[in-house]
Amino acid sequence: AQTVTQSQPEMSVQEAETVTLSCTYDTSENNYYLFWYKQPPSRQMILVIRQEAYKQQNATENRFSVNFQKAAKSFSLKISDSQLGDTAMYFCAFSRADNNNDMRFGAGTRLTVKP
Amino acid sequence: DGGITQSPKYLFRKEGQNVTLSCEQNLNHDAMYWYRQDPGQGLRLIYYSQIVNDFQKGDIAEGYSVSREKKESFPLTVTSAQKNPTAFYLCASSIERTGVNEQFFGPGTRLTVL
């Protein structure tokens, strides 16, 4: 079974600075997808970014980028120019490419952006 | 607007009662999911359905039941057999197509057992 580990329960960052959230996962699969979801205080889960394991290039979405290290099974999220609206819980998630019904989530990292 | 709706937002239940949480989507997605979220834990899968009239148990299905009579709807019933039902429940949906795995989530229902 796949497991996802987020080792940082809470983090904080000053507005406009950069922060990196860590995620590691365990799988024997070669083809899979990785996701970062954001859950703000409204509790609405929003997809931030996703990465296909077969792609070597790291995904980027505006201020959000990932550092995908397949051999190390690591998938960190970097938030640049942090904004107050980035304050949220962030969940890392794993999904097998051949079974997207079995998405596994980490326990989450609570990020606070300070003014 | 296309999306996923869940109702009610807050739900209170007395011990021993069954209660049903609603989930509707107008995204024309084939698959739908129910997750439970507890403090300090990630989301855990309760049930999922890939097509109408078919559904599968997730990791924590005991004490829950579902139905999928329509593509748009996937209600979850929390039965009296669920020993600790107080939690936040999230419904999600996705397209059943190879290479597309993103799940879209509803706003959630907070269930509290009194």
Side-chain angles (χ1 to χ4, degrees):
Chain A
Q2 286 68 228
T3 59
V4 178
T5 303
Q6 294 179 248
S7 58
Q8 306 152 314
E10 294 188 21
M11 294 192 70
S12 63
V13 62
Q14 290 296 132
E15 193 175 8
E17 294 190 346
T18 295
V19 64
T20 298
L21 308 184
S22 301
C23 173
T24 58
Y25 57 94
D26 185 25
T27 185
S28 59
E29 300 290 324
N30 187 54
N31 198 13
Y32 49 86
Y33 296 86
L34 295 162
F35 306 85
W36 278 99
Y37 279 89
K38 169 184 177 181
Q39 188 180 43
S42 67
R43 304 204 78 172
Q44 174 75 56
M45 292 280 283
I46 303 163
L47 179 68
V48 175
I49 198 166
R50 78 171 192 178
Q51 174 83 40
E52 290 95 294
Y54 64 86
K55 290 186 178 179
Q56 293 186 341
Q57 186 173 5
N58 288 325
T60 300
E61 287 287 343
N62 301 314
R63 298 182 294 108
F64 299 87
S65 61
V66 299
N67 183 5
F68 173 48
Q69 301 289 330
K70 191 172 185 179
K73 297 180 182 176
S74 171
F75 183 61
S76 61
L77 174 69
K78 185 172 81 171
I79 306 174
S80 304
D81 186 24
S82 296
Q83 300 176 0
L84 297 178
D86 295 334
T87 293
M89 284 287 290
Y90 287 83
F91 292 95
C92 179
F94 170 101
S95 174
R96 285 167 45 187
D98 63 347
N99 182 7
N100 62 355
N101 298 303
D102 188 19
M103 186 172 282
R104 298 286 164 167
F105 290 83
T109 295
R110 183 176 301 278
L111 176 68
T112 301
V113 179
K114 299 179 178 180
Chain B
D1 286 276
I4 303 174
T5 58
Q6 291 185 241
S7 61
K9 187 173 182 179
Y10 299 97
L11 189 56
F12 297 89
R13 189 195 90 173
K14 294 181 180 180
E15 283 193 27
Q17 286 182 336
N18 292 357
V19 64
T20 298
L21 283 60
S22 170
C23 177
E24 304 275 335
Q25 55 98 1
N26 60 6
L27 301 168
N28 200 31
H29 285 175
D30 302 296
M32 297 186 74
Y33 312 83
W34 274 105
Y35 291 94
R36 171 177 171 142
Q37 185 178 17
D38 293 283
Q41 297 189 42
L43 280 63
R44 293 184 291 167
L45 183 64
I46 304 172
Y47 269 98
Y48 68 92
S49 169
Q50 293 175 279
I51 57 173
V52 173
N53 292 324
D54 185 57
F55 46 83
Q56 306 295 327
K57 292 182 178 180
D59 295 329
I60 56 168
E62 185 175 351
Y64 300 97
S65 66
V66 293
S67 63
R68 187 86 186 277
E69 297 178 1
K70 299 185 302 181
K71 187 176 184 178
E72 302 79 18
S73 179
F74 191 42
L76 173 74
T77 296
V78 184
T79 75
S80 57
Q82 170 51 236
K83 298 304 179 188
N84 184 21
T86 294
F88 188 65
Y89 291 86
L90 283 161
C91 179
S93 69
S94 67
I95 299 172
E96 279 291 294
R97 189 168 79 229
T98 301
V100 180
N101 289 56
E102 177 184 345
Q103 292 186 14
F104 295 82
F105 286 83
T109 293
R110 174 71 184 176
L111 173 63
T112 302
V113 174
L114 304 173

